[in-house]
Amino acid sequence: MTIVFIGAGNLATNLSIAFKKAGYSILQVYSRTEKSARELSKKINCDYTIDINKLKKADIYFFAVGDKVIKKLLESNNFENKFIVHTAGSVSIDVFKDKSNNYGVFYPIQTFSKERIVDFKNIPICIEANNRDSQKLLENIVNSISDDLRIINSEQRKLIHLTAVFACNFVNHLYSISSDILKKGNISFDILKPLIIETANKIIDNDPKCAQTGPAVRNDNQTIEKHLKMLNDDNLKNIYKLFSDDIFRKMNG
Amino acid sequence: MTIVFIGAGNLATNLSIAFKKAGYSILQVYSRTEKSARELSKKINCDYTIDINKLKKADIYFFAVGDKVIKKLLESNNFENKFIVHTAGSVSIDVFKDKSNNYGVFYPIQTFSKERIVDFKNIPICIEANNRDSQKLLENIVNSISDDLRIINSEQRKLIHLTAVFACNFVNHLYSISSDILKKGNISFDILKPLIIETANKIIDNDPKCAQTGPAVRNDNQTIEKHLKMLNDDNLKNIYKLFSDDIFRKMNG
């Protein structure tokens, strides 16, 4: 099976490397940014182009670009007889309607960075397809890199993507906030790492509601007041208040 | 060395079990709540009391109770010739001033639940003492259960406790929010677990700022707008907006 990647970002990098390892032939990488295209093509040893009209003929075209870009590219090139697949959490499968006869979605639920190549084995991959043959093809591809295939429609996928923003991006931002606060006190962020790992591990076997600890859940207003006084950034004060109120409300409501 | 525990909550449970394993003799557990006192005393096979004036004579008294309760108990009993130690992140060591000649703080940076007994080996434990002998004693106790001893003063400890609220309690609340949203779509929370674990593992080797992904950091307003429309709870909308603004501001400011 031959593949062309449209996009050369975090997801394209991780996914193309996984596909190459699984034995697929990556023919080409397209990106608007020549630097990104060249870098990824080097990693997986294939051609690259920055001209959407110079895509090679392949069995499958993976769109790993933002929502707006998918639409633009679909207008600049004819994909009518091509099998096209996108990887975006919040984009409906219908973006491909009338653009091709065979299309689908391939959405791995994970956070990807170019510098950190992950193993797909335990990553849930959500697929959706416009017909049986397309679905069968996507199933085979998932099964070649992951043990966790999920058939998920566009509405469910949007919901999953929304929660991934809370459980990953916002969580990571809380790590970032903590790191900044510690820096001001000349304390290494390392000191929080065992706590961060345990907080994540704790919900593998427990409902997060039962796992909750800290001043908000035990309604310890004295500590909450002390903490609010220590924060001199209005955004952080708001985040602290909103979370403390919401934790108390959810645990007692 | 003999120990009396004042408090029978999450921390007291985990710490007393760790001490018992390390060979210390736990003589007694005090709690205002008879049920808690009895339950913990059963687990570690010792006596219990709900009368603060009936504490047994021991080498060291561990206060594992809330801030307000520490102050109350110090008034109801004379600890003058006793070695007293508290375990609260946000309470200064000075709470013990004029109450005893030997005192200190023993603050493990971790989230504890009664139902989940943790290993202290990799947990950073922050200690502070009012004199050399007290410090030496606390150092020995830390070293008997953990490889990560930290000498931390009250001001630094307050800062650490504040960041633990962000990096643990608020993080866990984001897990809880995600779980609730998925429930409404009849999707199992399990689907997010590999993402949650990777998000935590990612910051072990990377600065959280470099680890950030998602719509806010790439300024993908289309997805942000879609997500805000999907949230019909005002608190959640506010959390989503605050975080997205703050992520964008921090990454580009």
Side-chain angles (χ1 to χ4, degrees):
Chain A
M1 176 125 46
T2 55
I3 298 176
V4 164
F5 262 89
I6 295 165
N10 296 331
L11 173 55
T13 300
N14 275 271
L15 199 51
S16 60
I17 290 173
F19 284 155
K20 198 179 154 80
K21 260 193 197 158
Y24 295 106
S25 168
I26 319 283
L27 298 185
Q28 189 186 34
V29 170
Y30 160 85
S31 169
R32 289 164 300 170
T33 320
E34 181 156 7
K35 188 170 170 277
S36 304
R38 195 176 48 233
E39 274 173 14
L40 181 52
S41 71
K42 255 192 196 169
K43 279 180 193 158
I44 50 175
N45 194 22
C46 71
D47 286 340
Y48 74 86
T49 181
I50 54 166
D51 184 346
I52 192 67
N53 291 304
K54 290 199 177 148
L55 295 186
K56 292 194 175 183
K57 199 174 147 52
D59 296 320
I60 179 162
Y61 294 78
F62 266 95
F63 286 73
V65 289
D67 318 14
K68 274 182 278 184
V69 184
I70 297 179
K71 283 177 195 158
K72 253 192 210 164
L73 295 179
L74 287 173
E75 280 161 19
S76 356
N77 198 346
N78 183 357
F79 289 93
E80 213 170 325
N81 296 309
K82 298 184 167 92
F83 184 39
I84 49 180
V85 174
H86 81 66
T87 54
S90 289
V91 177
S92 166
I93 189 173
D94 293 337
V95 74
F96 287 143
K97 219 177 164 181
D98 305 327
K99 302 291 182 184
S100 169
N101 298 319
N102 295 295
Y103 55 86
V105 181
F106 184 103
Y107 171 61
I109 307 175
Q110 193 49 282
T111 169
F112 298 104
S113 294
K114 286 184 188 177
E115 304 72 26
R116 184 174 168 90
I117 302 307
V118 300
D119 184 354
F120 279 74
K121 195 170 162 50
N122 297 313
I123 298 177
I125 300 179
C126 306
I127 61 163
E128 187 180 8
N130 76 314
N131 59 42
R132 255 171 196 269
D133 286 349
S134 300
Q135 178 163 328
K136 195 72 213 149
L137 191 60
L138 286 180
E139 284 176 7
N140 288 339
I141 298 174
V142 170
N143 289 334
S144 72
I145 60 168
S146 165
D147 294 338
D148 196 350
L149 168 76
R150 313 261 181 157
I151 315 288
I152 296 281
N153 66 37
S154 289
E155 283 312 303
Q156 290 174 305
R157 193 177 58 254
K158 280 180 199 174
L159 214 57
I160 293 168
H161 187 223
L162 171 66
T163 61
V165 169
F166 280 94
C168 168
N169 309 148
F170 293 173
V171 161
N172 184 70
H173 191 55
L174 289 172
Y175 300 157
S176 188
I177 288 171
S178 306
S179 169
D180 287 346
I181 294 174
L182 288 175
K183 226 171 260 167
K184 281 179 198 160
N186 277 320
I187 302 162
S188 163
F189 179 55
D190 284 350
I191 208 166
L192 288 184
K193 289 180 180 174
L195 173 65
I196 284 172
I197 297 297
E198 168 66 5
T199 304
N201 282 334
K202 211 171 172 181
I203 56 87
I204 298 302
D205 314 308
N206 297 280
D207 186 307
K209 256 185 210 111
C210 306
Q212 192 57 284
T213 59
V217 69
R218 59 172 191 264
N219 202 19
D220 175 355
N221 289 319
Q222 244 177 332
T223 302
I224 292 173
E225 285 307 319
K226 276 185 200 173
H227 283 170
L228 285 171
K229 267 185 204 150
M230 290 168 75
L231 295 166
N232 41 29
D233 174 301
D234 280 346
N235 260 26
L236 293 190
K237 260 196 218 298
N238 284 337
I239 288 174
Y240 194 101
K241 271 189 224 160
L242 256 177
F243 271 77
S244 296
D245 289 353
D246 210 49
I247 290 172
F248 185 73
R249 192 172 62 110
K250 287 265 172 61
M251 303 298 288
N252 298 279
Chain B
M1 175 125 47
T2 56
I3 299 176
V4 163
F5 262 88
I6 295 164
N10 296 332
L11 174 55
T13 300
N14 276 271
L15 199 52
S16 60
I17 290 172
F19 284 155
K20 198 179 154 79
K21 261 193 196 159
Y24 295 107
S25 168
I26 319 284
L27 298 184
Q28 188 186 35
V29 169
Y30 160 85
S31 169
R32 290 163 300 168
T33 321
E34 181 155 7
K35 188 170 171 278
S36 304
R38 195 175 51 234
E39 274 174 12
L40 180 52
S41 71
K42 255 192 195 169
K43 279 180 195 159
I44 50 175
N45 195 23
C46 72
D47 286 339
Y48 73 87
T49 181
I50 54 166
D51 184 347
I52 192 65
N53 291 304
K54 290 197 177 150
L55 295 186
K56 292 193 172 182
K57 198 174 145 52
D59 296 321
I60 179 161
Y61 294 79
F62 266 94
F63 285 74
V65 289
D67 318 12
K68 275 182 277 186
V69 183
I70 296 178
K71 284 176 195 158
K72 253 192 210 162
L73 295 179
L74 287 172
E75 279 160 20
S76 355
N77 198 344
N78 183 357
F79 289 93
E80 214 172 324
N81 296 310
K82 299 183 167 93
F83 184 39
I84 49 180
V85 173
H86 80 68
T87 55
S90 290
V91 177
S92 166
I93 189 174
D94 293 338
V95 73
F96 288 143
K97 220 177 163 182
D98 305 327
K99 301 291 180 184
S100 170
N101 298 319
N102 295 296
Y103 54 87
V105 181
F106 184 104
Y107 172 61
I109 308 176
Q110 193 48 284
T111 169
F112 298 105
S113 294
K114 285 184 188 178
E115 304 73 24
R116 184 174 168 91
I117 302 307
V118 300
D119 183 354
F120 279 75
K121 194 169 163 50
N122 297 314
I123 298 177
I125 300 179
C126 307
I127 61 163
E128 186 179 9
N130 75 313
N131 60 40
R132 255 169 195 271
D133 286 350
S134 300
Q135 179 162 327
K136 196 72 213 148
L137 192 58
L138 287 181
E139 284 175 7
N140 289 339
I141 298 174
V142 170
N143 290 334
S144 71
I145 60 169
S146 165
D147 294 339
D148 196 350
L149 168 76
R150 312 259 181 158
I151 315 288
I152 296 281
N153 66 36
S154 290
E155 283 311 305
Q156 291 175 304
R157 193 175 61 255
K158 280 180 198 173
L159 214 56
I160 294 168
H161 187 223
L162 171 66
T163 60
V165 170
F166 281 94
C168 168
N169 308 148
F170 293 173
V171 161
N172 185 71
H173 191 56
L174 289 172
Y175 300 156
S176 188
I177 288 171
S178 306
S179 168
D180 287 347
I181 294 175
L182 288 176
K183 227 171 259 165
K184 282 179 197 158
N186 277 319
I187 302 161
S188 163
F189 180 55
D190 283 350
I191 207 166
L192 288 184
K193 289 179 181 176
L195 173 65
I196 284 172
I197 296 297
E198 168 66 6
T199 303
N201 282 333
K202 211 173 173 181
I203 56 87
I204 297 303
D205 313 310
N206 296 280
D207 186 306
K209 257 187 209 108
C210 306
Q212 191 58 284
T213 58
V217 69
R218 60 172 190 262
N219 201 21
D220 175 356
N221 289 319
Q222 245 178 333
T223 302
I224 292 173
E225 285 307 319
K226 278 185 199 172
H227 283 170
L228 285 171
K229 267 185 204 148
M230 290 167 77
L231 295 166
N232 41 29
D233 175 300
D234 280 345
N235 261 26
L236 292 190
K237 260 194 218 299
N238 284 337
I239 287 174
Y240 194 100
K241 271 188 226 160
L242 256 177
F243 270 77
S244 295
D245 289 351
D246 210 49
I247 289 172
F248 185 73
R249 192 171 61 110
K250 286 265 171 63
M251 302 299 288
N252 297 279

